[in-house]
Amino acid sequence: QVQLVESGGGLVQAGGSLRLSCAASARSFSSYAMAWFRQAPGKEREFVAAVNWSGSVTSYADSVKGRFTISRDNAKNTVYLLMNSLKPEDTGVYYCAAGANSQRLNYWGQGTQVTVSS
């Protein structure tokens, strides 16, 4: 069983930055692919970014490419999402997920709210 706890959300003005963290309680954290998703009010949850077990391979949604960076620290059992040049459309609840790969995400956190004001 893997428990995921997100933190770092908040209110920020457009153009600002935030760094989200996701702490995992898993002995084999380094074996999991990790990902971030988000859900805006009234919309479906959407993929944001993913990273493989070692951190060597990353992928991003087109809407965040060049602005967001996903990374992980296996020694700290933590995955990060650095968000720069934030836009109001980035507003939503951001969820951390873990699984065998980015297509098989079995574990989800409770989410952290990100609000970007214009």
Side-chain angles (χ1 to χ4, degrees), residues 49-61:
V51 62
N52 73 333
W53 66 274
S54 68
S56 61
V57 179
T58 58
S59 60
Y60 298 91

Side-chain angles (χ1 to χ4, degrees), residues 22-24 29 73-80:
C22 173
F29 173 77
D73 185 339
N74 287 341
K76 295 183 178 179
N77 278 20
T78 302
V79 64
Y80 304 98

Side-chain angles (χ1 to χ4, degrees), residues 6 35-39 45 93-97 108-112:
E6 301 97 335
W36 288 95
F37 285 71
R38 66 187 181 189
Q39 187 167 19
R45 189 175 299 187
V93 178
Y94 282 69
Y95 297 91
C96 174
W108 294 81
Q110 294 299 306
T112 185

